[in-house]
Amino acid sequence: QVQLVESGGGLVQPGGSLRLSCSASGSIARLNRMGWYRQAPGKQRDLVATISTGGDTIYDDSVKERFTVSRDNTKNTVSLQMNNLKSEDTAVYYCNVFIYSTRETWWGQGTQVTVSS
């Protein structure tokens, strides 16, 4: 079992910044990929950004140059720094862990990010 606890969501004006954090606990293999997905109302859950244990990152094109994903392997945490937020970034953001050895995927409970004036 893996438990993921997210924090940092909220309401922000367009052009503002937010930082999301996620802490993982439980049976996490050393080699994994952690990151963030988001789901807007009426839409599917989509990848935002992920990062491997070795630091390899993947970003959706819509957030490149604005969002930065990072992790602390010693603490099993992953963060998402979001700058220059736009209304289209409004969604529930989910923390995700993918474990290579077992092919397991785990999700957090989600945190709401609302970008509005």
Side-chain angles (χ1 to χ4, degrees), residues 13 19 21 29 36 39 42 65 75-76 86 94 107 110 114 116:
Q13 293 185 343
R19 184 177 181 85
S21 296
W36 298 90
Q39 187 168 18
E65 310 302 328
K75 300 179 180 179
N76 282 329
K86 305 176 180 180
Y94 294 90
W107 296 95
T114 302
S116 175

Side-chain angles (χ1 to χ4, degrees), residues 2 6 14-16 19-20 23 26 36 48-49 54 56 60-61 64 76-77 85 88 91 94 100 105 115-116:
V2 174
E6 300 134 332
R19 184 177 181 85
L20 305 181
S23 178
W36 298 90
V48 176
D56 170 60
D60 181 75
D61 286 344
K64 285 180 180 178
N76 282 329
T77 59
L85 282 159
E88 52 263 42
Y94 294 90
Y100 292 122
T105 297
V115 184
S116 175

Side-chain angles (χ1 to χ4, degrees), residues 26-102:
S27 301
I28 300 176
R30 185 176 65 85
L31 296 178
N32 57 68
R33 178 169 285 273
M34 300 182 73
W36 298 90
Y37 288 68
R38 66 186 179 187
Q39 187 168 18
K43 296 188 177 181
Q44 66 181 20
R45 190 175 298 185
D46 291 325
L47 179 145
V48 176
T50 64
I51 182 169
S52 70
T53 309
D56 170 60
T57 57
I58 298 173
Y59 290 94
D60 181 75
D61 286 344
S62 67
V63 305
K64 285 180 180 178
E65 310 302 328
R66 299 189 298 124
F67 291 9
T68 302
V69 64
S70 60
R71 65 185 289 166
D72 185 333
N73 290 332
T74 65
K75 300 179 180 179
N76 282 329
T77 59
V78 62
S79 298
L80 184 69
Q81 177 65 42
M82 304 184 292
N83 299 327
N84 190 22
L85 282 159
K86 305 176 180 180
S87 58
E88 52 263 42
D89 295 317
T90 295
V92 177
Y93 284 68
Y94 294 90
C95 180
N96 171 273
V97 172
F98 174 75
I99 300 173
Y100 292 122
S101 60
T102 61

